[in-house]
Amino acid sequence: MNGRTDRNTDRAGKGKKGNGIGGVVRIVILAFLSLILVVQCARIMMELREDSYSYHATEDNYLRDVTFENYYRIFSNTVDDCELSRKYSETEREIRALGYYYEAASLYGAYAAVGDNASSELQRERMERYRQEAGTYAAETEKIDARVYQATSDYNNESDYSR
């Protein structure tokens, strides 16, 4: 042995025993945990791949929002509807124009309230374009205008108190 110890003996010179039950249990637990880790990694990869789906609102979603006069939701669905290859029905195109009209009207009201005439005029032009594109839903633009007018007058009344 020349001063070196054999790898199979411990310091006392006794030979190592087999793994025994404790060693087998550790190997089984390690194999089980490794298997769980591999399965979880595979599930995470599948979920990441599935999360890249495209959202699109259906025509029923748009019609329901018009019925309940939920114009912000129409605008939100219009912006979130990001399926590039999708072809919209005539009804969907008209209601989507209504969503963009709501955006332009809201911005018009905000710019008018703070006195930004150039920006408000730009939004007024957008409103006219989207009113025409709204087609059979153009009557809804009057309801949107009433809401924007109410919000703008509320803002002006509140700002009178802060002066």
Side-chain angles (χ1 to χ4, degrees):
M1 285 214 192
N2 299 339
R4 294 186 327 192
T5 58
D6 189 8
R7 289 186 180 173
N8 291 330
T9 59
D10 61 8
R11 291 183 185 233
K14 297 179 183 173
K16 285 188 176 180
K17 296 181 181 178
N19 285 333
I21 292 180
V24 171
V25 170
R26 277 186 291 213
I27 290 173
V28 169
I29 290 174
L30 183 61
F32 180 71
L33 291 175
S34 297
L35 180 66
I36 289 175
L37 179 65
V38 169
V39 169
Q40 290 297 331
C41 286
R43 287 183 61 201
I44 289 171
M45 294 303 288
M46 288 174 55
E47 285 182 23
L48 288 175
R49 215 174 54 200
E50 289 174 4
D51 282 345
S52 63
Y53 71 95
S54 296
Y55 169 81
H56 72 275
T58 64
E59 187 171 323
D60 289 340
N61 294 126
Y62 286 117
L63 289 170
R64 181 179 53 247
D65 292 335
V66 169
T67 301
F68 291 112
E69 298 178 2
N70 193 348
Y71 302 115
Y72 176 77
R73 178 84 179 242
I74 294 170
F75 173 66
S76 177
N77 283 340
T78 300
V79 172
D80 291 343
D81 197 349
C82 58
E83 194 170 312
L84 298 177
S85 63
R86 183 161 179 237
K87 302 293 183 208
Y88 299 103
S89 69
E90 184 64 26
T91 301
E92 287 175 317
R93 282 193 295 274
E94 289 177 349
I95 295 174
R96 287 171 59 87
L98 197 61
Y100 286 124
Y101 181 90
Y102 175 79
E103 176 196 30
S106 298
L107 291 173
Y108 170 79
Y111 289 135
V114 297
D116 187 347
N117 295 331
S119 296
S120 64
E121 186 56 35
L122 177 67
Q123 297 307 319
R124 175 57 88 180
E125 291 170 8
R126 288 183 64 217
M127 288 169 64
E128 290 305 318
R129 184 177 78 219
Y130 291 125
R131 183 189 315 264
Q132 293 172 0
E133 290 179 19
T136 57
Y137 295 95
E140 296 291 322
T141 61
E142 294 174 13
K143 296 175 184 176
I144 293 172
D145 290 342
R147 286 188 182 183
V148 168
Y149 176 77
Q150 179 65 40
T152 303
S153 64
D154 289 348
Y155 172 80
N156 287 336
N157 289 339
E158 287 178 13
S159 63
D160 289 341
Y161 293 118
S162 64
R163 292 182 190 159

